Amino acid sequence: MHTPTRRPLLLVGADIREYHAYSLLQVAATHPLVLVDHDVPAWVRPYLAGEVTADLGNSRQVRQAVAAFAAEHEVGAVLTYAARHAELTAHLAQQLDLHGSAPAAVAACHDEAGFRQVLDEHALDSGQSFRVETEDSAVEAARLLGYPVALGAPGTEENGASLRAHSDDEVRAAFQRICRDEAHILGPFAPTSAVVEEVGLDGPTVGVEAVVTGPAGIQTVAITRIKANPQLPGQVLGYSVDAHDPLLHDKAIDQCVAQAVTACGITTGIVHVQLRLSSRGPRLAALNACLPGDLVPLLVARALGISLPQVAAALATGTVPALSPTRDGAAAVRFLYPDATGQIKRLRPPSEFATQPWLDRFVWTQQPGNAVLAPPSSGLEDRLAHWVVTGADTATCHARLDLVAGHVSARISSPDSHPLGVR
């Protein structure tokens, strides 16, 4: 029989290797890992102690499969690092009488309308928004709010930015792009919906990575700065985390996060809160009761020495983790997008920096022969590569990101294509 800390941990969803391998390896290093998914990718298999086969789009099938597994194995925890599986994971934890927040609380966080309703009920400051299901309803909401407006996908706050629209036609184009991106991630039968919200906040959006150990135990551990494309606000170019970020000691932010977590009823786990910084103070934009995406956990580890995946796993098993930083630096990631729509002909990596200790990793997410879309039509699936760097501070990291960018190139088979670099 397993000891309490060595009982199998059920991981719901393997997700994308390039973005989630770090989190999976961190959890596998401390717990016997059993994957719950429709199949087991080859890259995951060496790290598993078992598997539960089920279609994650069919919650009833997942619950039955997990129940059958639990009847023969003493499960220690249920965890996911994918926001779209957070509610299902909460239901499974409740079903097995394991640690976790109530499914209704998690659902409220990940549903835009539900989250806004909770904020309104508790009189918490946020921007006005509407969830819409059609282009026409998106236009109607935009007219009601008044142009310009911002559109984003419901429950997918990992991007950290939204698409701005100044007219009915731009609203329709943004709605179509959001639905296409969702279909790529969730499949062709993904619901067509978007969130239309007011614009006018005078500050940037930041991510707050916090740990919830109980009603009185809500601790901010990292601030994620978001680098958006100034020409295309809906496109995120990268993120950075700095152990010396002044927002780590901002009492207004701590209070805002605590109020949101308490209002939603989250009692344990990692939360990723998005705040808009304005002259009136922080305003709540979104809350994910899940690990942040887009390699943010890796940045937190490289900058502060805190493993958010291991913290999440500890909380899921009922253990209070150590949260003191063991590193005192910064880390950042940059994403490379195509500059033309077409077929990739050539990719050149930054070989000049392969031996530099500050280049944590460089990863191609495409290969020659693949077809990609250029901005503003491109999404996560069109990214060509990403790289992670470390440094003493954010400024050093940004300089190193730019240095690498100057030695990366890609050629796309389009009449107007040219060697591509990131600025």
Side-chain angles (χ1 to χ4, degrees), residues 340-392:
T341 294
Q343 188 180 63
I344 301 171
K345 290 300 183 182
R346 182 177 63 84
L347 300 171
R348 185 175 73 85
S351 304
E352 298 86 344
F353 307 108
T355 61
Q356 291 292 337
W358 49 260
L359 180 57
D360 185 89
R361 63 190 58 194
F362 180 93
V363 178
W364 290 114
T365 48
Q366 294 286 350
Q367 60 184 358
N370 289 356
V372 291
L373 296 175
S377 301
S378 57
L380 179 148
E381 72 279 5
D382 297 295
R383 291 174 179 171
L384 303 178
H386 63 255
W387 53 98
V388 174
V389 302
T390 58

Side-chain angles (χ1 to χ4, degrees), residues 196-245:
V196 184
E197 60 184 0
E198 64 175 325
V199 168
L201 300 174
D202 54 356
T205 299
V206 299
V208 181
E209 319 312 335
V211 175
V212 182
T213 57
I218 303 171
Q219 180 177 339
T220 296
V221 296
I223 300 293
T224 303
R225 299 284 183 162
I226 302 163
K227 181 177 178 59
N229 187 331
Q231 283 75 45
L232 296 168
Q235 184 187 82
V236 172
L237 298 180
Y239 302 91
S240 62
V241 174
D242 194 324
H244 297 282
D245 196 308

Side-chain angles (χ1 to χ4, degrees), residues 21-340:
Y22 167 78
S23 293
L24 183 140
L25 292 177
Q26 285 291 297
V27 178
T30 55
H31 297 79
L33 203 57
V34 175
L35 179 66
V36 182
D37 212 334
H38 65 285
D39 59 20
V40 178
W43 68 272
V44 174
R45 193 171 295 280
Y47 309 102
L48 296 183
E51 59 188 85
V52 175
T53 302
D55 178 4
L56 297 182
N58 185 332
S59 60
R60 181 178 179 182
Q61 181 184 119
V62 173
R63 293 187 191 189
Q64 290 176 342
V66 166
F69 179 87
E72 299 182 2
H73 305 82
E74 190 177 4
V75 177
V78 187
L79 183 69
T80 188
Y81 43 61
R84 66 181 182 276
H85 301 320
E87 184 180 351
L88 173 61
T89 300
H91 278 290
L92 293 174
Q94 184 183 70
Q95 172 182 320
L96 300 178
D97 196 25
L98 297 171
H99 292 275
S101 294
V106 176
C109 294
H110 292 262
D111 175 74
E112 183 72 20
F115 180 66
R116 297 293 175 180
Q117 182 178 350
V118 168
L119 297 186
D120 290 343
E121 290 174 350
H122 290 79
L124 299 180
D125 197 11
S126 67
Q128 188 177 7
S129 67
F130 297 94
R131 180 163 178 167
V132 295
E133 309 293 334
T134 65
E135 287 183 32
D136 289 340
S137 58
V139 170
E140 182 180 353
R143 290 175 178 174
L144 182 63
L145 291 172
Y147 287 109
V149 295
L151 286 84
T156 55
E157 296 80 19
E158 293 178 356
N159 285 346
S162 55
L163 301 174
R164 185 167 295 194
H166 298 80
S167 66
D168 293 357
D169 288 343
E170 290 185 7
V171 167
R172 294 183 185 279
F175 183 88
Q176 292 171 6
R177 174 181 168 182
I178 290 165
C179 291
R180 187 187 67 249
D181 289 349
E182 286 295 281
H184 176 82
I185 296 173
L186 302 178
F189 301 107
T192 57
S193 61
V195 174
V196 184
E197 60 184 0
E198 64 175 325
V199 168
L201 300 174
D202 54 356
T205 299
V206 299
V208 181
E209 319 312 335
V211 175
V212 182
T213 57
I218 303 171
Q219 180 177 339
T220 296
V221 296
I223 300 293
T224 303
R225 299 284 183 162
I226 302 163
K227 181 177 178 59
N229 187 331
Q231 283 75 45
L232 296 168
Q235 184 187 82
V236 172
L237 298 180
Y239 302 91
S240 62
V241 174
D242 194 324
H244 297 282
D245 196 308
L247 297 183
L248 282 169
H249 309 290
D250 190 303
K251 293 183 179 180
I253 285 181
D254 289 342
Q255 182 181 27
C256 195
V257 170
Q259 288 175 336
V261 169
T262 301
C264 289
I266 299 300
T267 56
T268 185
I270 300 286
V271 294
H272 171 73
V273 183
Q274 294 223 339
L275 300 176
R276 294 181 179 90
L277 306 181
S278 74
S279 58
R280 294 180 296 161
R283 298 181 70 183
L284 291 160
L287 191 158
N288 267 350
C290 186
L291 285 164
D294 258 355
L295 298 169
V296 171
L298 175 63
L299 301 185
V300 174
R302 296 296 183 259
L304 294 103
I306 297 173
S307 171
L308 290 182
Q310 290 186 358
V311 169
L315 292 171
T317 61
T319 303
V320 177
L323 298 176
S324 298
T326 59
R327 293 188 181 183
D328 189 29
V333 62
R334 181 76 58 84
F335 304 113
L336 178 66
Y337 292 86
D339 69 339

